[in-house]
Amino acid sequence: VRQEAPPQPARPQRAPRQAARPSAPAAAASQSGDGEFWKSLLPVLRGQMSAWEYMPLTDGATIAGRLENDTLVIYAADQFAYKTVNRRPLLEKIARAASQRAGRAVDAVAREGVPPAAPAGQAAAQKTRQKTDPFDDLLQLGEQFGAEID
């Protein structure tokens, strides 16, 4: 497979769909596109590829993955990261692992850019699931007992 520089705008390569073998039903339920599927897939990928292939995938500052319907979209924040992940053999490995994890056929594609913002309802739900800052909790406790904290 010959790799070419992506035209502007970059057109993602697709790994062919893999026949899925049912596995982990809990993972199959994750279709929200919030990145949780990607985070759960990374440990699986670690055992299926070389360190040179795996390490760039773990850089959360430049690489993010989202399961969007039956496609695992791997967002690369810059051109270097995009060229690193937009390789057919790598995308095929990722698609195979994602299909096994999801229990259905999943494609893998690379896109240059950052993931779109989560829908408003989903973002609010994620925010409420996040823990509060312990310092804020301490300030609130101090106010309950009448302590003045500057």
Side-chain angles (χ1 to χ4, degrees), residues 134-150:
F135 186 71
D136 289 339
D137 292 340
L138 183 61
L139 288 174
Q140 196 172 36
L141 183 64
E143 289 173 3
Q144 286 177 352
F145 289 102
E148 290 186 32
I149 303 173
D150 291 324

Side-chain angles (χ1 to χ4, degrees), residues 22-43:
S23 66
S30 178
Q31 294 185 33
S32 62
D34 64 0
E36 292 302 314
F37 182 83
W38 176 250
K39 291 176 188 173
S40 73
L41 185 63
L42 285 174

